[in-house]
Amino acid sequence: HIDIESASEIYVSGDGSYPEADEMERAIAFHDSVKYLSVLKTPDFRLNKLFLWTKHDLMELFSHSSVGSGFYAGLPGFSWFFGRDGEWMSLAATEAGLHDLSRQHLELLWKYSRDGRIPHELPLFSENNDYGFDINGDLVRTRFLSIDSAPLWIINALHLANWSGEKRDMDRINEVMNFIKSCDRDGDGLVENRFSEGLIGWVEEWAKDRDGACVDVNALCIQAEKMLELSSGLSDGRWKRSIGYYIENFIKQSGEKTTIWDSIDGNERREVKTPMSLIPLAYFPSELREFSRAVLEEYSHGDMLVPWGMRSLSYNSTMYDDGYHTGMVWPLMTGWAGLSFFSSGIPDIGLKLLNTFVTLAYSSPSTGRIGEVYSSSDMRETGQFFQGWSSALFISIVVEGLMGMSLDSMCHEDWQSRISPYLPPDWKEMEMLNVKKGDEYLDIRIDSEGVSVKESENVIKYGRQGRK
């Protein structure tokens, strides 16, 4: 008799070879190296500890296979390579000093790209690296499913170059950018999803209803364009023209109400209240300043917020049923929301959202793990117990939000002067030690006097083991 409620799945792979004698020692050394990279020191012990744990999560999910090396999406059911999942993880890995892991995942995605189109997933056991699954009655091939893998790849490539000091591969970046531009079918400056062609953003469950230009995908495309201009030292203002057109099309003010359209298809504009609409507020706080506070106020209520994160869909939506894509709490989306509150000058709620990750990790049966998705009614984990991008978004909120080292700030040579952190009122100081930036290891200290950056005194003491 098997109790299905408690049954486990075991995933086994291998080539029949025996482990090398020092494999365990090498594995321990691999994980030990992250102890001394980007060490968070705040008055909150649990926050500091979770930052260490989530760095380990990225390393644990980094895998080698016959397909290549990169980040598995999660365990137990998503133990293969995904595009957008791994790209959110790569951003965090770059920010945590794990530049080589980030680089390898981006290389893996490029290896299997086609004419600048970045894969959505790379299964391990399919001859063509192509699976299919049913979305609302349609069989959809998944290799190139997600349109947002392309702008996320550019954002990652530039972010890694900005942090590591390596040369940007402009041939690859331009090829991906050309693919993105090809998705603007009507020449209106907005990229359009096309479900029938497997070009969709989130969410798969109702992707057929998001044909046309989507709020999240186009925000990522403009952010890629923006980072390319900032990193290259250009000033032609192309991305600013793009954001102006984006605002004109996606944002409407009527009296005191501000609406961000979820998607636009021809003359049809769809309003759906999800954290996807907050992505532009995370990346364009200055340009959206006149709208951001009104929008974020709407996302601060109980129809969206619960004590362990933000719902994926408003409780007041006709589609809401606390389902996988229709209301449950995704730490990924909570992370997007947290970044938007920090960026838009509402850091107290940003910190509140940051702390939901701590709540989830310390409430988990496997202490320290942040799951894929949670019920919005009782904090019950209902997906993968270990999801990589959940850990990744925690790292990114800490680095980009709390520490103020945004994607844009790191595009500049004088990035130190562009750090915009948030020091909670009851904290005297916070630090991040041994931050790997180019060939340097730096200590960043934030207190009531401001921000100080200096060469780490612990590099010789701790760094050698970390750089092996």
Side-chain angles (χ1 to χ4, degrees):
H1 173 73
I2 299 177
D3 181 1
I4 298 300
E5 291 294 326
S6 60
S8 298
E9 293 178 275
I10 300 175
Y11 291 75
V12 179
S13 64
D15 56 6
S17 61
Y18 289 94
E20 298 178 23
D22 65 342
E23 186 166 330
M24 180 62 75
E25 288 75 13
R26 287 189 290 110
I28 292 173
F30 175 67
H31 277 273
D32 273 352
S33 65
V34 81
K35 286 183 183 179
Y36 311 114
L37 282 173
S38 298
V39 179
L40 182 66
K41 295 183 67 177
T42 76
D44 188 336
F45 170 82
R46 299 205 314 167
L47 189 71
N48 302 340
K49 188 70 171 179
L50 184 55
F51 194 75
L52 174 62
W53 282 341
T54 49
K55 289 185 292 180
H56 279 290
D57 289 345
L58 296 182
M59 301 180 80
E60 187 172 347
L61 288 170
F62 191 83
S63 303
H64 305 281
S65 75
S66 58
V67 171
S69 299
F71 296 108
Y72 281 179
L75 296 173
F78 291 147
S79 51
W80 65 90
F81 305 116
F82 282 77
R84 65 158 76 100
D85 297 60
E87 287 167 327
W88 288 109
M89 294 164 71
S90 294
L91 281 174
T94 293
E95 293 164 352
L98 304 173
H99 300 169
D100 186 53
L101 305 191
S102 178
R103 183 185 307 106
Q104 289 186 65
H105 190 84
L106 298 181
E107 286 288 340
L108 173 67
L109 296 179
W110 178 259
K111 175 182 177 182
Y112 291 97
S113 66
R114 182 181 298 159
D115 298 326
R117 188 171 179 175
I118 302 298
H120 165 69
E121 67 174 329
L122 298 171
L124 305 181
F125 305 111
S126 171
E127 288 185 8
N128 299 316
N129 298 113
D130 193 5
Y131 280 174
F133 62 82
D134 181 87
I135 302 179
N136 291 349
D138 289 332
L139 182 66
V140 179
R141 294 296 173 187
T142 60
R143 179 177 176 185
F144 292 109
L145 183 68
S146 62
I147 192 171
D148 45 335
S149 288
L152 276 170
W153 191 92
I154 293 177
I155 291 169
N156 263 281
L158 293 171
H159 201 46
L160 177 60
N162 292 336
W163 275 83
S164 67
E166 299 169 1
K167 185 178 179 180
R168 297 181 292 274
D169 191 328
M170 293 306 303
D171 289 339
R172 292 183 178 183
I173 289 171
N174 287 332
E175 187 170 339
V176 179
M177 188 65 80
N178 286 336
F179 164 72
I180 292 171
K181 292 177 180 178
S182 74
C183 295
D184 175 10
R185 313 306 176 82
D186 54 11
D188 67 350
L190 298 175
V191 168
E192 290 100 23
N193 292 10
R194 284 290 177 264
F195 181 88
S196 61
E197 299 174 25
L199 286 170
I200 68 172
W202 261 38
V203 290
E204 287 93 342
E205 194 169 321
W206 36 285
K208 291 175 69 173
D209 299 323
R210 298 188 85 217
D211 261 7
C214 292
V215 63
D216 51 323
V217 172
N218 278 277
L220 292 171
C221 291
I222 295 172
Q223 177 63 15
E225 190 176 13
K226 178 184 183 183
M227 288 180 66
L228 182 57
E229 181 174 319
L230 294 178
S231 299
S232 304
L234 302 175
S235 57
D236 58 12
R238 187 174 304 171
W239 76 268
K240 289 193 174 183
R241 292 192 291 274
S242 296
I243 194 64
Y245 190 66
Y246 180 89
I247 292 170
E248 180 183 333
N249 280 272
F250 277 102
I251 300 179
K252 175 187 176 183
Q253 280 190 306
S254 179
E256 295 183 358
K257 179 176 173 55
T258 300
T259 300
I260 296 185
W261 302 113
D262 172 72
S263 55
I264 305 167
D265 194 15
N267 293 323
E268 181 184 3
R269 279 169 162 73
R270 311 175 185 115
E271 181 182 4
V272 185
K273 192 175 179 182
T274 79
M276 291 184 290
S277 295
L278 299 184
I279 290 178
L281 301 183
Y283 294 138
F284 314 115
S286 298
E287 291 70 28
L288 300 180
R289 183 175 290 115
E290 65 177 293
F291 313 106
S292 59
R293 285 196 171 267
V295 172
L296 291 172
E297 167 63 25
E298 286 294 315
Y299 279 77
S300 303
H301 303 307
D303 67 312
M304 293 301 297
L305 283 182
V306 296
W308 50 95
M310 181 166 281
R311 289 185 171 103
S312 56
L313 185 67
S314 169
Y315 182 83
N316 297 324
S317 171
T318 57
M319 293 190 294
Y320 177 87
D321 60 4
D322 198 20
Y324 186 65
H325 282 141
T326 47
M328 285 187 175
V329 173
W330 291 71
L332 168 73
M333 295 190 181
T334 300
W336 296 341
L339 287 172
S340 70
F341 278 97
F342 273 116
S343 296
S344 300
I346 313 176
D348 53 333
I349 298 183
L351 184 63
K352 180 179 178 180
L353 291 169
L354 173 59
N355 281 322
T356 64
F357 288 80
V358 180
T359 298
L360 294 175
Y362 278 87
S363 302
S364 171
S366 178
T367 306
R369 298 292 194 204
I370 306 171
E372 174 195 12
V373 62
Y374 297 80
S375 169
S376 66
S377 59
D378 57 9
M379 205 173 76
R380 176 172 38 90
E381 204 285 309
T382 63
Q384 309 300 304
F385 82 96
F386 178 17
Q387 191 76 5
W389 61 13
S390 297
S391 301
L393 262 294
F394 172 76
I395 291 173
S396 290
I397 297 182
V398 169
V399 175
E400 298 175 34
L402 187 66
M403 298 295 296
M405 301 168 70
S406 68
L407 300 184
D408 290 355
S409 66
M410 305 310 290
C411 291
H412 300 273
E413 289 187 10
D414 61 339
W415 61 271
Q416 298 96 327
S417 65
R418 296 174 183 268
I419 296 176
S420 181
Y422 172 64
L423 185 68
D426 55 341
W427 291 6
K428 291 184 178 180
E429 63 181 26
M430 60 183 180
E431 294 178 297
M432 190 168 285
L433 308 177
N434 277 359
V435 175
K436 184 170 173 55
K437 181 69 170 67
D439 295 328
E440 296 182 302
Y441 289 81
L442 305 172
D443 290 346
I444 301 173
R445 187 174 186 271
I446 294 149
D447 58 23
S448 59
E449 299 297 318
V451 180
S452 63
V453 180
K454 65 177 183 177
E455 186 176 353
S456 175
E457 297 173 358
N458 298 323
V459 171
I460 296 175
K461 183 177 179 181
Y462 298 129
R464 289 179 180 171
Q465 184 178 6
R467 291 200 294 271
K468 277 187 178 178

